[in-house]
Amino acid sequence: MGIRENIERVRERMDAACRRAGRRVDEVKLIAVSKTVQAERIREAYEAGLREFGENRVQEAVSKQPALADLDITWHLIGHLQSNKAKLARELFHWIHSVDSVHLARRLDQAVAGRARPLRVLLQVNLGGEESKSGVGESDLAGLAAEVSQLRSLEIGGLMAIPPFCENPQDARPYFSRLRQLAGIFAALNAPRVTELSMGMSHDFEAAIEEGATMIRVGTAIFGAR
Ligand SMILES: *Cc1c(COP(=O)(O)O)cnc(C)c1O
């Protein structure tokens, strides 16, 4: 199937999940994860109507973005970011989903690089406490949120998580609902408008939407197997 048909199919699945959850479909942003996907195919997805794209590596964005510079794309960095690449990441991306330390947040804040507008960031939480995944542990989240909210050029948008892989997407629901609960820290920080929840991928985004996702990150279901 072509990219256009795949996108239609993803939209139908999003619509159905929103209907089940009693949510409006415009409450959920579809981010097309284009890692390993060539620029022409990203352009094809853009022509089919998508505007938000996610990459997981800074270097890959460096090599692909110039060929797409004529398009009005909002770029999301969804993969782990090393603080020595903070400046470059700030130049290339509108959103960073993977802030998981005060050190990284400070480096991003300092890398203003002529961009007047704040950089939007999400705090990545390691919900399963998995060694192999990045993200702040639940017990350190409130401290991180308090520190990041002090940084003038960063705007905290919300939380992001990659839960442990579950064969049955329904089994991921407790993780998604946990992330939604954790977002309660922003009310405590007097930041009630911080409401984004980036959660859900190709095989489990319906469950994520039913648990409150506002951003889903979908690669395979749009571009095919990597
Ligand atoms: C690759 C990736 C995705 C998309 O995964 P699919 O299963 O292809 O939809 C989502 N989030 C992150 C952080 C990723 O690295």
Side-chain angles (χ1 to χ4, degrees):
M1 276 218 296
I3 288 174
R4 193 173 283 272
E5 289 77 16
N6 288 347
I7 294 170
E8 264 170 42
R9 190 66 202 100
V10 168
R11 292 263 186 229
E12 285 164 13
R13 288 171 59 191
M14 289 174 72
D15 283 349
C18 283
R19 227 176 298 122
R20 285 194 297 276
R23 302 183 61 198
R24 293 196 327 263
V25 79
D26 65 4
E27 291 172 29
V28 185
K29 201 175 274 183
L30 172 59
I31 299 173
V33 175
S34 51
K35 63 189 184 203
T36 78
V37 173
Q38 300 296 306
E40 311 98 85
R41 304 186 64 233
I42 297 176
R43 186 175 291 275
E44 213 178 311
Y46 183 94
E47 281 162 4
L50 299 188
R51 293 293 177 270
E52 316 266 340
F53 291 85
E55 289 284 338
N56 69 335
R57 297 177 54 205
V58 173
Q59 279 313 322
E60 196 176 327
V62 169
S63 60
K64 288 195 300 205
Q65 284 188 6
L68 301 164
D70 57 315
L71 307 182
D72 180 25
I73 289 179
T74 298
W75 290 102
H76 299 254
L77 180 67
I78 60 171
H80 179 65
L81 175 59
Q82 284 173 324
S83 49
N84 63 2
K85 297 217 174 84
K87 191 167 191 307
L88 193 52
R90 176 138 203 172
E91 288 164 19
L92 296 169
F93 293 94
H94 303 88
W95 289 83
I96 310 274
H97 290 227
S98 50
V99 171
D100 61 357
S101 74
V102 176
H103 178 67
L104 172 60
R106 290 206 177 116
R107 292 290 289 267
L108 285 167
D109 184 51
Q110 287 155 5
V112 178
R115 282 201 180 209
R117 62 166 174 70
L119 176 70
R120 285 167 293 181
V121 300
L122 304 179
L123 307 181
Q124 181 176 353
V125 187
N126 188 348
L127 289 176
E130 293 172 285
E131 290 276 342
S132 62
K133 284 192 184 143
S134 41
V136 65
E138 286 191 24
S139 55
D140 295 324
L141 176 62
L144 177 63
E147 295 269 358
V148 176
S149 65
Q150 299 301 311
L151 301 174
R152 301 295 289 282
S153 81
L154 303 187
E155 191 179 293
I156 305 187
L159 301 180
M160 178 271 213
I162 310 169
F165 179 80
C166 301
E167 198 68 54
N168 178 352
Q170 294 305 323
D171 296 339
R173 286 180 81 126
Y175 293 104
F176 296 139
S177 78
R178 180 68 187 145
L179 195 70
R180 189 186 59 215
Q181 276 177 357
L182 289 171
I185 55 163
F186 295 115
L189 283 172
N190 227 342
R193 286 178 308 141
V194 175
T195 53
E196 302 286 354
L197 291 174
S198 167
M199 56 190 197
M201 320 199 327
S202 291
H203 89 291
D204 60 8
F205 70 73
E206 286 107 325
I209 288 173
E210 290 177 41
E211 295 295 343
T214 64
M215 296 175 155
I216 58 172
R217 309 178 308 265
V218 180
T220 317
I222 293 174
F223 295 110
R226 286 182 293 270

